[in-house]
Amino acid sequence: KSLPYFCRGEVIRGFGRGSKELGIPTANFPDSVVEHLPADIGTGIYYGWACVGNGDVYKMVMSIGWNPYYKNTKKSMETHVIHTFKEDFYGETLSVVMVGYIRPERTYDSLEALIAAINSDIEEAKVKLELPDHLKLKEDNFFTSTA
Ligand code: ADP
Ligand code: MG
């Protein structure tokens, strides 16, 4: 299997689905990054580590889903970094390592249900990433060798 999976790319603009308004902004990767995903990494919610530019490494949760903009023929990768940034970071390089899988994607009856699910994903990621094998990846050279 392909986890842990390391990748990086420029943060591009998403489709303004209002993630930020929900308090859960998601940084989007361009198609070039998504197209390199190994076939066995399916849609769903993942957790791992992320850093912006040469910044600190933070916990993250990532949603891999079918992109409605391309009539669901292409995937999207959206990363919520579990950190409060002072400013947006469009155009910067986001480096991530996907460490584990949380759950499949699903649709929600209400915004409240969606937000509750994401917040529970965030809590699960925070706990799981404290496992020694997962903490090790935070220190991986991938995050210090700037490309
Ligand atoms: P978009 O549709 O353009 O992806 P979002 O509402 O999802 O808009 O906001 C995503 C943007 O918010 C990111 O591209 C980034 O510049 C900024 N941002 C600020 N804080 C975070 C964070 N903690 N995690 C992810 N993105 C963040
Ligand atoms: Mg987004």
Side-chain angles (χ1 to χ4, degrees), residues 120-133:
S120 114
D121 296 336
I122 290 171
E123 290 314 308
E124 183 169 343
K126 283 183 183 169
V127 172
K128 290 247 170 82
L129 287 164
E130 290 300 319
L131 292 167
D133 278 357

Side-chain angles (χ1 to χ4, degrees), residues 39-105:
D40 66 339
I41 296 190
T43 60
I45 312 300
Y46 293 80
Y47 63 90
W49 299 102
C51 94
V52 177
N54 300 318
D56 292 338
V57 181
Y58 301 108
K59 294 172 177 176
M60 65 82 166
V61 290
M62 181 194 289
S63 159
I64 298 184
W66 293 107
N67 196 326
Y69 186 80
Y70 296 105
K71 300 197 162 72
N72 299 327
T73 57
K74 284 190 179 192
K75 284 178 189 168
S76 66
M77 292 167 79
E78 301 191 18
T79 304
H80 172 67
V81 186
I82 305 175
H83 176 75
T84 304
F85 291 88
K86 288 200 189 77
E87 288 174 340
D88 286 352
F89 44 86
Y90 290 112
E92 297 214 46
T93 299
L94 179 69
S95 300
V96 304
V97 54
M98 296 164 63
V99 174
Y101 176 81
I102 298 182
R103 62 176 176 89
E105 279 216 304

Side-chain angles (χ1 to χ4, degrees), residues 4 6 49 57 97 134-145:
F6 295 83
W49 299 102
V57 181
V97 54
H134 293 173
L135 273 175
K136 252 189 276 172
L137 290 164
K138 183 185 183 183
E139 312 299 335
D140 196 279
N141 284 334
F142 175 74
F143 289 117
T144 45
S145 61

Side-chain angles (χ1 to χ4, degrees), residues 103 106-120:
R103 62 176 176 89
R106 52 160 292 195
T107 54
Y108 293 91
D109 301 333
S110 68
L111 211 53
E112 288 72 22
L114 169 65
I115 294 172
I118 297 171
N119 283 323
S120 114

